[in-house]
């Protein structure tokens, strides 16, 4: 069964006390969200233990924003999949465009990261998406296909059940420019068909595909009404409990 998900990527925002407050505010307002919508928050690493503690036993899952591509050892500054699990995470975001753009995240690295995360029972939100130049050159379908083939095609249909795809056009992230529902739906439909080609119709039908890029309460309804859009990965609007919940109420 395909899951509907609204996930908040807090990026490098909030102090630990502010993050705990935000998590509590989201929890407080979450009671009206339909039970079939999964809520996830992804605070910075430093907040994970405190936020997971504040949300313990609740319907809100905790995600990291990244995870190391090595198990453990001399990798200064890295945070491993085991550490994330022990901190209370059940998800990790991987391959966010900001990591690809600023920190040299490659598809090859992502394969290692996804493999490690899954081996520790961490579910993965795998981000894909084209930049403005690629969109303007009409290459967006090819770029997204390559990202999916390079990473996801290394896994089995069984492993795919623990992976969620987030399509995030880079030109729409944090810019206030949202893809139109038509632009988003055509790529989501294409992603689902790529999954179907490789893994079959059941895997494609079960795959949760999120949209990300300046999603807010005012545009979420139209996006989520599309048949292949199963929720959102939310950046800026996830920093305000009312906006995040407003988006989750848009199904
Ligand atoms: C994101 O970075 O994942 C994102 C979708 O950001 P924003 O909602 O701020 O565009």
């Amino acid at each position: 069964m395909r899951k509907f998900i609204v996930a908040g990527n807090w990026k490098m925002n909030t102090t630990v006390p502010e993050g705990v407050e935000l998590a509590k505010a989201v929890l407080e307002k979450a009671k009206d969200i339909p039970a079939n919508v999964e809520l996830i928050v992804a605070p910075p690493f430093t907040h994970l233990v405190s936020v997971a503690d504040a949300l313990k036993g609740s319907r809100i899952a905790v995600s990291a924003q990244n995870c190391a591509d090595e198990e453990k050892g001399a990798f200064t500054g890295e945070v491993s999949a085991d550490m994330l699990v022990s901190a209370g995470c059940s998800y990790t975001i991987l391959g966010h465009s900001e990591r690809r753009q600023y920190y040299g995240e490659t598809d090859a690295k992502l394969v290692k990261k996804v493999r490690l995360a899954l081996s520790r029972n961490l579910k993965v939100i795998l981000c894909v998406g084209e930049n403005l130049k690629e969109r303007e050159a009409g290459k967006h379908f090819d770029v997204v296909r390559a990202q999916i083939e390079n990473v996801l095609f290394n896994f089995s249909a069984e492993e795919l059940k623990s992976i969620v795809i987030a399509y995030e056009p880079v030109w729409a992230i944090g810019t206030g420019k949202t893809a139109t529902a038509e632009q988003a739906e055509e790529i989501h439909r294409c992603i689902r068909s790529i999954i179907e080609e490789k893994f079959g119709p059941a895997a494609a039908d079960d795959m949760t595909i999120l949209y990300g890029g300046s999603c807010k309460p005012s545009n979420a309804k139209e996006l989520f009404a599309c048949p292949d859009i199963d929720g959102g990965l939310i950046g800026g609007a996830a920093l305000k409990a009312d906006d995040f919940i407003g988006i989750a109420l848009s199904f």
Side-chain angles (χ1 to χ4, degrees):
M1 261 293 278
R2 198 186 302 174
K3 272 199 263 178
F4 299 103
I5 294 177
V6 176
N9 174 13
W10 297 0
K11 309 193 186 188
M12 197 171 70
N13 292 297
T14 74
T15 61
V16 175
E18 287 164 355
V20 170
E21 275 316 295
L22 176 57
K24 286 183 179 163
V26 169
L27 179 58
E28 170 74 28
K29 294 169 197 287
K31 30 188 191 306
D32 297 331
I33 308 297
N36 64 338
V37 178
E38 184 169 359
L39 295 174
I40 304 172
V41 292
F45 287 137
T46 44
H47 305 29
L48 290 171
V49 170
S50 314
V51 167
D53 201 40
L55 297 176
K56 205 175 191 149
S58 80
R59 59 176 295 180
I60 305 178
V62 178
S63 173
Q65 299 174 15
N66 183 29
C67 172
D69 62 346
E70 297 287 346
E71 276 187 45
K72 63 174 178 176
F75 300 101
T76 302
E78 289 296 294
V79 177
S80 74
D82 280 331
M83 292 172 191
L84 297 181
V85 172
S86 71
C89 289
S90 50
Y91 279 90
T92 182
I93 297 171
L94 290 176
H96 190 280
S97 61
E98 286 152 15
R99 300 234 36 106
R100 293 180 190 257
Q101 195 179 342
Y102 307 132
Y103 302 99
E105 189 105 302
T106 60
D107 286 342
K109 259 196 182 166
L110 281 169
V111 174
K112 283 178 80 183
K113 290 187 176 198
V114 173
R115 186 163 289 130
L116 259 173
L118 296 183
S119 76
R120 302 310 199 265
N121 288 327
L122 264 181
K123 286 173 269 185
V124 170
I125 300 172
L126 178 73
C127 303
V128 297
E130 80 286 356
N131 63 32
L132 186 59
K133 219 165 139 202
E134 291 160 342
R135 162 72 55 170
E136 284 175 349
K139 293 192 176 140
H140 41 296
F141 291 107
D142 295 341
V143 169
V144 169
R145 173 179 279 275
Q147 289 169 336
I148 289 178
E149 288 184 356
N150 291 345
V151 182
L152 281 190
F153 280 22
N154 293 284
F155 297 91
S156 66
E158 190 53 36
E159 288 170 314
L160 228 61
K161 291 180 183 162
S162 301
I163 301 174
V164 170
I165 298 174
Y167 167 64
E168 301 203 296
V170 179
W171 48 272
I173 294 181
T175 58
K177 276 190 212 161
T178 320
T180 63
E182 293 72 32
Q183 285 172 322
E185 170 59 18
E186 71 173 352
I187 286 260
H188 281 237
R189 197 181 323 117
C190 167
I191 292 172
R192 206 177 295 288
S193 71
I194 296 168
I195 299 295
E196 180 168 353
E197 277 166 35
K198 170 78 178 172
F199 300 98
D205 199 46
D206 284 354
M207 177 52 84
T208 297
I209 308 174
L210 309 180
Y211 168 78
S214 300
C215 186
K216 32 190 187 277
S218 57
N219 58 25
K221 222 180 185 64
E222 202 189 346
L223 287 160
F224 296 175
C226 298
D228 291 294
I229 300 181
D230 310 311
L233 179 55
I234 317 300
L239 295 172
K240 289 198 180 121
D242 281 334
D243 286 352
F244 185 65
I245 293 297
I247 291 169
L249 283 170
S250 303
F251 281 100

